[in-house]
Amino acid sequence: MPNLHLANTNQCYWSLLDGNGTATWRDAELTDAGVKQAQVAHDFWQKELDTQQIHPPDSYFVSPLTRTLRTANITFSGLSLPHKSTPFRPLIKEYLREGISIHTCDQRRNRTYIHDLFPTWPIERGFTEIDELWNGVTAETNAAQDLRSKSALDSIFQANNSGLFVSVTSHSGEISSILRVVKHRTFKLNTGAVIPVLVRAETVPEAPTTTSVSWTASAHCTAPPVTSVDSCVCPSTAVPVTTPLVTVSV
């Protein structure tokens, strides 16, 4: 799934709002184009299952953002799977979400909403009712996101029932982070595309540690920018809002 960001000229004001009266981008729904792309992915999976007899996923994991939940549902629901295959019932994982910026498209909805949307899908333990990661002021650095991605992968590899073939439905930025964590070459995934990755995971003894990575404070306007240039130029009556760096532990 791609991250739903606005044009750079409006990112310091409009992207912090719920929408513009015509469209809503706070944890946005899947667009018509996104639905078609997910259907293409569904058809691809079915073709490969039918013609190449590929092994279907042994387990499924998905980001908690609405557009990704919808994408996973369209992609994998209704596939004709080989006998004794694991049915599609993805685990919703907090740390598989898109990179977290101050933009409202990166804020997830409440746990209750997510459960009601797909009530038969399990949600991982410890998943909070409200989004405690997004605050609208500070944003993840790549290092902070990679730390989060590593934590997500560790929990997947350590699970007893993940199997050998794992499906992760996430976002372009988060997929790039996962590829960095597993030391994969840089690969830009097109919208609605699928990439197979072979990972060799080894369990190694490691002393318990608490790792902290700073997030960055993001300047933003409290009124529409005065110019359309690729920067955050606020009106004199609405100075940029900034805060000091904060540190989070994963």
Side-chain angles (χ1 to χ4, degrees), residues 73-96:
N73 186 53
I74 296 170
T75 300
F76 293 107
S77 289
L79 287 178
S80 178
L81 299 173
H83 183 57
K84 294 185 178 180
S85 296
T86 303
F88 172 63
R89 191 166 171 262
L91 178 64
I92 301 170
K93 291 185 69 64
E94 182 82 274
Y95 281 1
L96 290 180

PDB file of all heavy atoms in Angstrom, residues 73-96:
ATOM      1  N   ASN A  73      -7.917  -7.741   2.424  1.00  0.00           N
ATOM      2  CA  ASN A  73      -9.176  -8.463   2.285  1.00  0.00           C
ATOM      3  C   ASN A  73      -9.490  -8.754   0.828  1.00  0.00           C
ATOM      4  O   ASN A  73      -9.879  -9.869   0.471  1.00  0.00           O
ATOM      5  CB  ASN A  73     -10.302  -7.652   2.921  1.00  0.00           C
ATOM      6  CG  ASN A  73     -11.615  -8.411   2.951  1.00  0.00           C
ATOM      7  OD1 ASN A  73     -11.678  -9.529   3.435  1.00  0.00           O
ATOM      8  ND2 ASN A  73     -12.666  -7.795   2.411  1.00  0.00           N
ATOM      9  N   ILE A  74      -9.307  -7.751  -0.041  1.00  0.00           N
ATOM     10  CA  ILE A  74      -9.579  -7.950  -1.468  1.00  0.00           C
ATOM     11  C   ILE A  74      -8.560  -8.914  -2.074  1.00  0.00           C
ATOM     12  O   ILE A  74      -8.894  -9.780  -2.893  1.00  0.00           O
ATOM     13  CB  ILE A  74      -9.560  -6.613  -2.221  1.00  0.00           C
ATOM     14  CG1 ILE A  74     -10.694  -5.711  -1.723  1.00  0.00           C
ATOM     15  CG2 ILE A  74      -9.679  -6.830  -3.726  1.00  0.00           C
ATOM     16  CD1 ILE A  74     -10.613  -4.288  -2.237  1.00  0.00           C
ATOM     17  N   THR A  75      -7.310  -8.781  -1.682  1.00  0.00           N
ATOM     18  CA  THR A  75      -6.238  -9.588  -2.265  1.00  0.00           C
ATOM     19  C   THR A  75      -6.396 -11.070  -1.961  1.00  0.00           C
ATOM     20  O   THR A  75      -6.241 -11.922  -2.850  1.00  0.00           O
ATOM     21  CB  THR A  75      -4.870  -9.108  -1.755  1.00  0.00           C
ATOM     22  OG1 THR A  75      -4.680  -7.736  -2.116  1.00  0.00           O
ATOM     23  CG2 THR A  75      -3.744  -9.941  -2.347  1.00  0.00           C
ATOM     24  N   PHE A  76      -6.726 -11.410  -0.729  1.00  0.00           N
ATOM     25  CA  PHE A  76      -6.660 -12.812  -0.315  1.00  0.00           C
ATOM     26  C   PHE A  76      -8.009 -13.484  -0.083  1.00  0.00           C
ATOM     27  O   PHE A  76      -8.078 -14.718  -0.070  1.00  0.00           O
ATOM     28  CB  PHE A  76      -5.805 -12.931   0.952  1.00  0.00           C
ATOM     29  CG  PHE A  76      -4.353 -12.610   0.731  1.00  0.00           C
ATOM     30  CD1 PHE A  76      -3.808 -11.428   1.204  1.00  0.00           C
ATOM     31  CD2 PHE A  76      -3.538 -13.482   0.036  1.00  0.00           C
ATOM     32  CE1 PHE A  76      -2.476 -11.129   0.997  1.00  0.00           C
ATOM     33  CE2 PHE A  76      -2.201 -13.197  -0.176  1.00  0.00           C
ATOM     34  CZ  PHE A  76      -1.665 -12.011   0.304  1.00  0.00           C
ATOM     35  N   SER A  77      -9.068 -12.725   0.117  1.00  0.00           N
ATOM     36  CA  SER A  77     -10.367 -13.362   0.340  1.00  0.00           C
ATOM     37  C   SER A  77     -10.858 -14.022  -0.949  1.00  0.00           C
ATOM     38  O   SER A  77     -10.735 -13.460  -2.040  1.00  0.00           O
ATOM     39  CB  SER A  77     -11.398 -12.327   0.805  1.00  0.00           C
ATOM     40  OG  SER A  77     -11.123 -11.904   2.118  1.00  0.00           O
ATOM     41  N   GLY A  78     -11.415 -15.206  -0.814  1.00  0.00           N
ATOM     42  CA  GLY A  78     -12.012 -15.881  -1.957  1.00  0.00           C
ATOM     43  C   GLY A  78     -11.049 -16.604  -2.864  1.00  0.00           C
ATOM     44  O   GLY A  78     -11.465 -17.135  -3.903  1.00  0.00           O
ATOM     45  N   LEU A  79      -9.770 -16.672  -2.508  1.00  0.00           N
ATOM     46  CA  LEU A  79      -8.833 -17.428  -3.327  1.00  0.00           C
ATOM     47  C   LEU A  79      -9.142 -18.923  -3.221  1.00  0.00           C
ATOM     48  O   LEU A  79      -9.523 -19.430  -2.162  1.00  0.00           O
ATOM     49  CB  LEU A  79      -7.396 -17.180  -2.869  1.00  0.00           C
ATOM     50  CG  LEU A  79      -6.765 -15.828  -3.193  1.00  0.00           C
ATOM     51  CD1 LEU A  79      -5.361 -15.752  -2.604  1.00  0.00           C
ATOM     52  CD2 LEU A  79      -6.713 -15.581  -4.693  1.00  0.00           C
ATOM     53  N   SER A  80      -8.966 -19.614  -4.323  1.00  0.00           N
ATOM     54  CA  SER A  80      -9.101 -21.060  -4.333  1.00  0.00           C
ATOM     55  C   SER A  80      -7.756 -21.658  -3.937  1.00  0.00           C
ATOM     56  O   SER A  80      -6.821 -21.703  -4.738  1.00  0.00           O
ATOM     57  CB  SER A  80      -9.520 -21.542  -5.725  1.00  0.00           C
ATOM     58  OG  SER A  80      -9.617 -22.956  -5.751  1.00  0.00           O
ATOM     59  N   LEU A  81      -7.660 -22.078  -2.684  1.00  0.00           N
ATOM     60  CA  LEU A  81      -6.389 -22.544  -2.133  1.00  0.00           C
ATOM     61  C   LEU A  81      -6.292 -24.061  -2.186  1.00  0.00           C
ATOM     62  O   LEU A  81      -7.318 -24.763  -2.177  1.00  0.00           O
ATOM     63  CB  LEU A  81      -6.241 -22.065  -0.689  1.00  0.00           C
ATOM     64  CG  LEU A  81      -6.223 -20.556  -0.463  1.00  0.00           C
ATOM     65  CD1 LEU A  81      -6.238 -20.245   1.031  1.00  0.00           C
ATOM     66  CD2 LEU A  81      -5.009 -19.925  -1.124  1.00  0.00           C
ATOM     67  N   PRO A  82      -5.085 -24.595  -2.217  1.00  0.00           N
ATOM     68  CA  PRO A  82      -4.919 -26.055  -2.162  1.00  0.00           C
ATOM     69  C   PRO A  82      -5.489 -26.629  -0.868  1.00  0.00           C
ATOM     70  O   PRO A  82      -5.649 -25.923   0.136  1.00  0.00           O
ATOM     71  CB  PRO A  82      -3.392 -26.227  -2.219  1.00  0.00           C
ATOM     72  CG  PRO A  82      -2.874 -24.959  -2.806  1.00  0.00           C
ATOM     73  CD  PRO A  82      -3.810 -23.887  -2.351  1.00  0.00           C
ATOM     74  N   HIS A  83      -5.790 -27.896  -0.902  1.00  0.00           N
ATOM     75  CA  HIS A  83      -6.343 -28.581   0.267  1.00  0.00           C
ATOM     76  C   HIS A  83      -5.391 -28.464   1.455  1.00  0.00           C
ATOM     77  O   HIS A  83      -4.172 -28.540   1.316  1.00  0.00           O
ATOM     78  CB  HIS A  83      -6.582 -30.057  -0.081  1.00  0.00           C
ATOM     79  CG  HIS A  83      -7.217 -30.841   1.029  1.00  0.00           C
ATOM     80  ND1 HIS A  83      -8.429 -30.488   1.589  1.00  0.00           N
ATOM     81  CD2 HIS A  83      -6.804 -31.963   1.679  1.00  0.00           C
ATOM     82  CE1 HIS A  83      -8.746 -31.350   2.546  1.00  0.00           C
ATOM     83  NE2 HIS A  83      -7.767 -32.264   2.611  1.00  0.00           N
ATOM     84  N   LYS A  84      -5.939 -28.248   2.621  1.00  0.00           N
ATOM     85  CA  LYS A  84      -5.205 -28.149   3.891  1.00  0.00           C
ATOM     86  C   LYS A  84      -4.373 -26.873   4.000  1.00  0.00           C
ATOM     87  O   LYS A  84      -3.506 -26.762   4.861  1.00  0.00           O
ATOM     88  CB  LYS A  84      -4.315 -29.371   4.126  1.00  0.00           C
ATOM     89  CG  LYS A  84      -5.089 -30.664   4.326  1.00  0.00           C
ATOM     90  CD  LYS A  84      -4.163 -31.820   4.665  1.00  0.00           C
ATOM     91  CE  LYS A  84      -4.963 -33.094   4.917  1.00  0.00           C
ATOM     92  NZ  LYS A  84      -4.075 -34.242   5.258  1.00  0.00           N
ATOM     93  N   SER A  85      -4.610 -25.897   3.129  1.00  0.00           N
ATOM     94  CA  SER A  85      -3.913 -24.621   3.252  1.00  0.00           C
ATOM     95  C   SER A  85      -4.465 -23.842   4.440  1.00  0.00           C
ATOM     96  O   SER A  85      -5.613 -24.024   4.866  1.00  0.00           O
ATOM     97  CB  SER A  85      -4.080 -23.784   1.979  1.00  0.00           C
ATOM     98  OG  SER A  85      -3.482 -24.419   0.880  1.00  0.00           O
ATOM     99  N   THR A  86      -3.657 -22.947   4.976  1.00  0.00           N
ATOM    100  CA  THR A  86      -4.099 -22.092   6.069  1.00  0.00           C
ATOM    101  C   THR A  86      -5.129 -21.101   5.545  1.00  0.00           C
ATOM    102  O   THR A  86      -4.860 -20.389   4.567  1.00  0.00           O
ATOM    103  CB  THR A  86      -2.917 -21.322   6.668  1.00  0.00           C
ATOM    104  OG1 THR A  86      -1.924 -22.246   7.103  1.00  0.00           O
ATOM    105  CG2 THR A  86      -3.360 -20.464   7.844  1.00  0.00           C
ATOM    106  N   PRO A  87      -6.297 -21.029   6.136  1.00  0.00           N
ATOM    107  CA  PRO A  87      -7.296 -20.056   5.661  1.00  0.00           C
ATOM    108  C   PRO A  87      -6.815 -18.635   5.911  1.00  0.00           C
ATOM    109  O   PRO A  87      -6.017 -18.372   6.819  1.00  0.00           O
ATOM    110  CB  PRO A  87      -8.538 -20.387   6.501  1.00  0.00           C
ATOM    111  CG  PRO A  87      -8.013 -21.075   7.714  1.00  0.00           C
ATOM    112  CD  PRO A  87      -6.789 -21.823   7.276  1.00  0.00           C
ATOM    113  N   PHE A  88      -7.319 -17.725   5.103  1.00  0.00           N
ATOM    114  CA  PHE A  88      -6.932 -16.314   5.243  1.00  0.00           C
ATOM    115  C   PHE A  88      -7.613 -15.712   6.470  1.00  0.00           C
ATOM    116  O   PHE A  88      -8.822 -15.511   6.493  1.00  0.00           O
ATOM    117  CB  PHE A  88      -7.317 -15.533   3.987  1.00  0.00           C
ATOM    118  CG  PHE A  88      -7.125 -14.039   4.128  1.00  0.00           C
ATOM    119  CD1 PHE A  88      -5.863 -13.513   4.339  1.00  0.00           C
ATOM    120  CD2 PHE A  88      -8.209 -13.172   4.047  1.00  0.00           C
ATOM    121  CE1 PHE A  88      -5.680 -12.139   4.474  1.00  0.00           C
ATOM    122  CE2 PHE A  88      -8.036 -11.812   4.185  1.00  0.00           C
ATOM    123  CZ  PHE A  88      -6.771 -11.288   4.396  1.00  0.00           C
ATOM    124  N   ARG A  89      -6.820 -15.451   7.496  1.00  0.00           N
ATOM    125  CA  ARG A  89      -7.302 -14.823   8.710  1.00  0.00           C
ATOM    126  C   ARG A  89      -6.108 -14.069   9.312  1.00  0.00           C
ATOM    127  O   ARG A  89      -5.440 -14.555  10.220  1.00  0.00           O
ATOM    128  CB  ARG A  89      -7.843 -15.871   9.681  1.00  0.00           C
ATOM    129  CG  ARG A  89      -8.614 -15.318  10.879  1.00  0.00           C
ATOM    130  CD  ARG A  89      -9.387 -16.430  11.572  1.00  0.00           C
ATOM    131  NE  ARG A  89      -9.945 -15.968  12.827  1.00  0.00           N
ATOM    132  CZ  ARG A  89      -9.392 -16.181  14.013  1.00  0.00           C
ATOM    133  NH1 ARG A  89      -8.238 -16.854  14.094  1.00  0.00           N
ATOM    134  NH2 ARG A  89      -9.950 -15.735  15.115  1.00  0.00           N
ATOM    135  N   PRO A  90      -5.827 -12.888   8.804  1.00  0.00           N
ATOM    136  CA  PRO A  90      -4.577 -12.197   9.139  1.00  0.00           C
ATOM    137  C   PRO A  90      -4.556 -11.675  10.570  1.00  0.00           C
ATOM    138  O   PRO A  90      -5.592 -11.324  11.143  1.00  0.00           O
ATOM    139  CB  PRO A  90      -4.543 -11.044   8.139  1.00  0.00           C
ATOM    140  CG  PRO A  90      -5.989 -10.749   7.881  1.00  0.00           C
ATOM    141  CD  PRO A  90      -6.676 -12.094   7.896  1.00  0.00           C
ATOM    142  N   LEU A  91      -3.361 -11.624  11.116  1.00  0.00           N
ATOM    143  CA  LEU A  91      -3.144 -11.004  12.419  1.00  0.00           C
ATOM    144  C   LEU A  91      -2.829  -9.531  12.206  1.00  0.00           C
ATOM    145  O   LEU A  91      -1.917  -9.187  11.443  1.00  0.00           O
ATOM    146  CB  LEU A  91      -1.991 -11.682  13.155  1.00  0.00           C
ATOM    147  CG  LEU A  91      -1.622 -11.092  14.526  1.00  0.00           C
ATOM    148  CD1 LEU A  91      -2.772 -11.257  15.516  1.00  0.00           C
ATOM    149  CD2 LEU A  91      -0.344 -11.732  15.063  1.00  0.00           C
ATOM    150  N   ILE A  92      -3.577  -8.665  12.853  1.00  0.00           N
ATOM    151  CA  ILE A  92      -3.373  -7.221  12.731  1.00  0.00           C
ATOM    152  C   ILE A  92      -2.282  -6.797  13.710  1.00  0.00           C
ATOM    153  O   ILE A  92      -2.413  -6.989  14.918  1.00  0.00           O
ATOM    154  CB  ILE A  92      -4.687  -6.466  13.010  1.00  0.00           C
ATOM    155  CG1 ILE A  92      -5.769  -6.919  12.019  1.00  0.00           C
ATOM    156  CG2 ILE A  92      -4.473  -4.955  12.920  1.00  0.00           C
ATOM    157  CD1 ILE A  92      -7.161  -6.418  12.351  1.00  0.00           C
ATOM    158  N   LYS A  93      -1.201  -6.207  13.167  1.00  0.00           N
ATOM    159  CA  LYS A  93      -0.035  -5.861  13.992  1.00  0.00           C
ATOM    160  C   LYS A  93       0.236  -4.355  13.920  1.00  0.00           C
ATOM    161  O   LYS A  93       0.383  -3.797  12.835  1.00  0.00           O
ATOM    162  CB  LYS A  93       1.207  -6.637  13.538  1.00  0.00           C
ATOM    163  CG  LYS A  93       1.135  -8.136  13.820  1.00  0.00           C
ATOM    164  CD  LYS A  93       2.433  -8.833  13.471  1.00  0.00           C
ATOM    165  CE  LYS A  93       3.581  -8.461  14.389  1.00  0.00           C
ATOM    166  NZ  LYS A  93       3.363  -8.885  15.785  1.00  0.00           N
ATOM    167  N   GLU A  94       0.355  -3.754  15.083  1.00  0.00           N
ATOM    168  CA  GLU A  94       0.598  -2.310  15.193  1.00  0.00           C
ATOM    169  C   GLU A  94       1.848  -1.871  14.455  1.00  0.00           C
ATOM    170  O   GLU A  94       1.864  -0.862  13.742  1.00  0.00           O
ATOM    171  CB  GLU A  94       0.721  -1.934  16.667  1.00  0.00           C
ATOM    172  CG  GLU A  94       0.919  -0.451  16.939  1.00  0.00           C
ATOM    173  CD  GLU A  94      -0.377   0.324  16.920  1.00  0.00           C
ATOM    174  OE1 GLU A  94      -0.783   0.733  15.807  1.00  0.00           O
ATOM    175  OE2 GLU A  94      -0.971   0.521  17.991  1.00  0.00           O
ATOM    176  N   TYR A  95       2.934  -2.622  14.614  1.00  0.00           N
ATOM    177  CA  TYR A  95       4.230  -2.178  14.105  1.00  0.00           C
ATOM    178  C   TYR A  95       4.427  -2.403  12.610  1.00  0.00           C
ATOM    179  O   TYR A  95       5.496  -2.103  12.070  1.00  0.00           O
ATOM    180  CB  TYR A  95       5.359  -2.872  14.868  1.00  0.00           C
ATOM    181  CG  TYR A  95       5.630  -2.265  16.230  1.00  0.00           C
ATOM    182  CD1 TYR A  95       4.888  -1.190  16.720  1.00  0.00           C
ATOM    183  CD2 TYR A  95       6.649  -2.760  17.046  1.00  0.00           C
ATOM    184  CE1 TYR A  95       5.138  -0.639  17.951  1.00  0.00           C
ATOM    185  CE2 TYR A  95       6.915  -2.200  18.298  1.00  0.00           C
ATOM    186  CZ  TYR A  95       6.150  -1.149  18.743  1.00  0.00           C
ATOM    187  OH  TYR A  95       6.413  -0.592  19.975  1.00  0.00           O
ATOM    188  N   LEU A  96       3.410  -2.912  11.907  1.00  0.00           N
ATOM    189  CA  LEU A  96       3.504  -3.044  10.446  1.00  0.00           C
ATOM    190  C   LEU A  96       2.880  -1.863   9.725  1.00  0.00           C
ATOM    191  O   LEU A  96       2.771  -1.855   8.507  1.00  0.00           O
ATOM    192  CB  LEU A  96       2.827  -4.345   9.982  1.00  0.00           C
ATOM    193  CG  LEU A  96       3.541  -5.635  10.353  1.00  0.00           C
ATOM    194  CD1 LEU A  96       2.761  -6.840   9.840  1.00  0.00           C
ATOM    195  CD2 LEU A  96       4.967  -5.670   9.810  1.00  0.00           C
TER     196      LEU A  96
END
